[in-house]
Amino acid sequence: MSRRRTLGTKKKVALLVSAAAVAGGGAFVMASTSNAATPQTAAQSTVCQGLATALGNNQRFIEGQQAQPDAQSAARIANREAVIAQIKVQQKASGCVVGESAQGSQAAAGQPSQAAPPSAPAASQAPSTGNAAPGNAAPGNAAPGNAAAGQQVCKGSTVTLSGEAGAPAASSNQFPAGTTLKVTNLDNNKSTTVKVTSVSGSCVLLNNAAFEQVREPGKFLIRRAVIEKVG
């Protein structure tokens, strides 16, 4: 009788230990999974920063269209809302915080996302000389839209993608449609020459096809870019 009771007690203890081990292991797996799935912010990842900047640029463009609407604003807004939805899909796929938005360094805070008139201050370059070509180029206070062919413009701007599909093209709030721009990524020395086809909230945004021509793998932001007006 005593022996059976002893064995029964030992068996119960063993079962309790096993259950505790399984529970602990499950908790560890859940914690590990939770940590692995934690989305990254723009401050933690250059990929997430590029996507957040692209999303912010499109949001700023929509705000500008809503503030100063014209006959085409509704169509432009609908297009950019579709672009924003696609950027959010990319954020999720890249492990980023979905919906995180950042303003690009190339746009002034609070400035409407409409094409700026030639006499308006340059969009996000703090120094007024940022839009002038070096050396014997036009004076430092020249607006990008008035730049001569071959002149460097929007100096100091970062470049990201607009999220729009189609053949390689650019959008801008500094240059009218039809302007030809050359964008060079100094980190890999790749360049693309594109025409401006639409308005955006930044000096220059590249659509998906154009951005693919100059991007570094896995990155959605070009920090060191040279932008030239070539026609």
Side-chain angles (χ1 to χ4, degrees):
M1 185 73 176
S2 174
R3 178 177 176 77
R4 292 168 93 185
R5 184 176 299 164
T6 302
L7 289 173
T9 303
K10 289 181 178 179
K11 189 174 181 180
K12 289 179 180 178
V13 171
L15 289 172
L16 289 171
V17 170
S18 298
V22 171
F28 175 77
V29 170
M30 289 177 65
S32 299
T33 303
S34 175
N35 290 336
T38 301
Q40 291 187 304
T41 65
Q44 296 171 314
S45 165
T46 55
V47 171
C48 296
Q49 184 179 12
L51 290 170
T53 301
L55 194 148
N57 286 337
N58 282 284
Q59 288 177 330
R60 187 172 58 250
F61 174 80
I62 290 175
E63 291 169 0
Q65 291 292 309
Q66 291 172 336
Q68 299 180 13
D70 59 30
Q72 300 300 319
S73 290
R76 293 188 190 119
I77 290 172
N79 174 266
R80 293 312 173 100
E81 287 175 341
V83 169
I84 287 174
Q86 182 58 38
I87 291 173
K88 289 181 178 179
V89 171
Q90 291 178 302
Q91 285 179 320
K92 183 176 181 180
S94 301
C96 306
V97 175
V98 177
E100 183 179 17
S101 173
Q103 298 299 318
S105 64
Q106 68 269 47
Q111 180 173 333
S113 303
Q114 300 277 49
S119 60
S124 73
Q125 293 77 7
S128 61
T129 57
N131 293 320
N136 59 359
N141 60 355
N146 292 337
Q151 182 175 337
Q152 183 178 349
V153 295
C154 304
K155 189 175 181 181
S157 293
T158 58
V159 175
T160 188
L161 76 168
S162 66
E164 294 180 295
S171 56
S172 175
N173 69 350
Q174 299 291 330
F175 302 97
T179 303
T180 302
L181 300 174
K182 180 180 179 181
V183 178
T184 301
N185 183 349
L186 296 179
D187 290 327
N188 57 15
N189 291 320
K190 291 184 178 181
S191 299
T192 183
T193 300
V194 292
K195 284 189 178 295
V196 174
T197 59
S198 61
V199 181
S200 72
S202 304
C203 176
V204 58
L205 292 181
L206 298 176
N207 71 354
N208 292 347
F211 195 81
E212 284 296 329
Q213 294 178 346
V214 295
R215 72 179 292 187
E216 291 184 277
K219 293 187 178 181
F220 293 90
L221 181 70
I222 302 173
R223 294 181 179 278
R224 299 174 61 242
V226 172
I227 304 168
E228 301 169 84
K229 180 181 178 183
V230 297

